Amino acid sequence: MIRRLIAAASLSLAAPVLAQTPPPAAPAPPAAAAPDYSAAASWLCRPGKADVCTSPLDVTSVAASGALTKTTIPMVKDAPVDCFYVYPTVSTDPGGNSDMVADPAEKGVALIQFAAFRSVCRTYAPLYRQVTLAALRAVLTGAPTNADRIMAYSDVASAWASYLARDNQGRGVILIGHSQGSGIIKALLAREIEGKPVAARVIAAYIPGNNVLVPTGADAGGDLKVMPLCRAATQTGCVVAYVSFRDGEIPPPDSRFGRSPTPGMAVGCTNPAALGGGRASLSALLPASSAIVDNSSAQPAWATGAKIDTRFVAVPGLLSAECRSLDGATFLSVRTDADPADPRTDRIAGDVVNAGQVRPEWGLHLIDVNETLGDLVTLAKTQSAAWLAKK
C-alpha cells in the first residue's frame, strides 16, 4: 500500500495546479450540504476511534555503517494540545471532487504524513470533498472539469467549526497540511483565524508544499497579514512554510513552486531543522517502500543487504537543508551528504517522473513532509510547551 500512499503529496503531476491556485476572494456556500462532522465517519483521524492515526508506527534507522535499529513512534496519553490535518491531493475518485468515503490513498497519506504527530497531540483529520487527481490532470491538459474548489474549502471550514464547537475547549492546536491541504489551511488562516479570538489558540501552522507569499525581506504581510513565518522553536502563533528542491537545483522559470508571480513578494521559506537560518541536518522519516509513489523516482536499497520491514526509514546524518534565494526563487535546498564508500544509500528518491523523465519544476514536492517529519514533530513538542507555558 505504501507505494501509493503519498499519491498525495501532490504526487500526481497535477497537484500543484491546485496547490498554487489562490482560492476565490470569498467562498460561496457549497453546491451540496456540508458533510456531518458530528459523525465519526466524516473523519480520517479523531480521538476515541480506531483509525490510521492509532495504527502501529515503527521505524528502522539506517546508520552510515549500515547498522539497523528499530524503534516505535508512541501515542501520548492525555495529550494537552491538538493537531488538525488537511491532506493533499490524493483522491482516486473519478469525478471533479471526491466523495466522503475514505479510500486507501486518503488513509495512506494520513498515515505517512500525519500519524507521527500522535506523540505530541490529539489527532484530528477530516475527510473533505477535495479536488481529485483526475480533475487536476484535466486542468493540466486543458480538458473540461467540474471540480469545485469552493466545496473543498467549505468542507474543511465546516470541519474546523465543528472541531472548535465540540472538541477544542480552549486547547492549543497546530494546523498541518501539504499541497492542496496547505492551500486550504492558508485560506482558513486568512479568513477564519487571523484577527479573531481563536487565533490565540493556534500554536502554529505547518503548511509545506505551497507558496506562502510575504513581502521581500519580511515575515508577514502577504498571503497572511498577521501571522509571521516561524523564526525560533519557542515562537508561537507562526507559520512553517517551504517548498523543497535538491541541492544544486533551482526552481525553473515555469515552476509553480518557489517563484512569486507578484512583484515585491517572495515565497516564504522556513527550515524546520533551523528556523533561525543556516544549514542543518534533517530528521527525515521516509516511507520505507522501494518506490515512494508510482510516479516517483525509484528508491535504491537503503543499505547493502538491508531488509526493511517497518513503516518508516530514518537516515540520520544523510540529509541536510537550508533556505536559499537564487535567481528570483526561494526554496528549501535539500542536500544528500552521502559517502560512496559506506554501505548506506547515496540517493533519496522523491523526484517526479513522467514518461521516464524527471520533472525539475516539481523539485522534491513528493517528500516535502517526510524529509523533515522528525523535525516537525520535535518542533511541535517545543512550540506546544512554549504555548502552554504562556497560557
Side-chain angles (χ1 to χ4, degrees):
M1 181 178 80
I2 303 221
R3 296 175 69 90
R4 300 180 184 274
L5 318 175
I6 321 190
S10 3
L11 308 183
S12 110
L13 288 180
V17 173
L18 179 76
Q20 303 311 324
T21 301
D36 179 9
Y37 286 106
S38 69
S42 295
W43 297 81
L44 278 174
C45 294
R46 182 177 175 81
K49 62 175 288 194
D51 53 41
V52 294
C53 288
T54 64
S55 298
L57 289 182
D58 45 8
V59 182
T60 297
S61 181
V62 183
S65 65
L68 307 180
T69 304
K70 290 186 179 182
T71 57
T72 298
I73 299 173
M75 176 176 292
V76 66
K77 294 182 178 179
D78 302 320
V81 300
D82 297 338
C83 290
F84 186 96
Y85 168 71
V86 184
Y87 51 91
T89 312
V90 293
S91 175
T92 56
D93 291 343
N97 290 78
S98 65
D99 58 27
M100 287 292 290
V101 178
D103 64 23
E106 290 157 335
K107 293 178 181 178
V109 75
L111 181 69
I112 288 302
Q113 290 190 340
F114 181 56
F117 287 94
R118 72 194 191 177
S119 63
V120 179
C121 50
R122 299 191 309 184
T123 51
Y124 293 84
L127 282 164
Y128 69 106
R129 292 170 294 181
Q130 72 166 204
V131 175
T132 62
L133 291 172
L136 296 178
R137 291 188 184 105
V139 170
L140 272 190
T141 59
T145 175
N146 62 350
D148 187 342
R149 291 185 295 112
I150 293 174
M151 178 187 289
Y153 171 81
S154 295
D155 281 359
V156 174
S158 295
W160 173 251
S162 175
Y163 158 75
L164 290 178
R166 298 175 58 227
D167 303 298
N168 180 264
Q169 298 180 338
R171 295 163 61 91
V173 56
I174 301 171
L175 291 94
I176 301 165
H178 182 237
S179 197
Q180 179 175 176
S182 289
I184 289 175
I185 289 177
K186 182 172 69 174
L188 191 72
L189 292 169
R191 295 170 180 162
E192 305 295 337
I193 295 174
E194 283 196 318
K196 296 178 171 60
V198 70
R201 288 178 249 173
V202 174
I203 298 170
Y206 304 158
I207 49 175
N210 187 278
N211 288 343
V212 176
L213 301 186
V214 294
T216 302
D219 285 340
D223 286 336
L224 301 173
K225 305 305 180 188
V226 178
M227 292 185 70
L229 299 176
C230 294
R231 295 304 183 193
T234 55
Q235 182 182 359
T236 59
C238 58
V239 176
V240 171
Y242 58 88
V243 297
S244 60
F245 285 76
R246 290 189 187 275
D247 188 58
E249 297 178 359
I250 299 173
D254 62 344
S255 176
R256 291 183 175 87
F257 300 111
R259 293 189 176 275
S260 169
T262 306
M265 291 285 180
V267 175
C269 183
T270 54
N271 180 357
L275 293 174
R279 179 168 293 276
S281 180
L282 297 180
S283 297
L285 288 174
L286 299 160
S289 61
S290 59
I292 295 176
V293 287
D294 288 349
N295 64 325
S296 167
S297 53
Q299 174 59 49
W302 295 103
T304 304
K307 294 183 178 180
I308 308 296
D309 58 4
T310 54
R311 186 79 64 187
F312 291 105
V313 166
V315 282
L318 183 61
L319 298 181
S320 64
E322 66 175 333
C323 287
R324 304 193 71 186
S325 294
L326 295 170
D327 191 27
T330 304
F331 55 98
L332 187 67
S333 177
V334 179
R335 187 175 73 199
T336 304
D337 297 312
D339 181 355
D342 70 30
R344 190 165 64 173
T345 183
D346 294 328
R347 186 170 179 85
I348 299 297
D351 302 290
V352 171
V353 176
N354 184 38
Q357 299 296 315
V358 171
R359 298 292 296 266
E361 71 273 20
W362 283 72
L364 289 173
H365 189 67
L366 304 191
I367 57 170
D368 278 330
V369 174
N370 292 95
E371 69 199 12
T372 67
L373 184 54
D375 301 291
L376 288 170
V377 171
T378 298
L379 179 60
K381 293 177 182 177
T382 303
Q383 289 182 309
S384 295
W387 184 89
L388 290 166
K390 294 174 184 176
K391 182 181 178 182

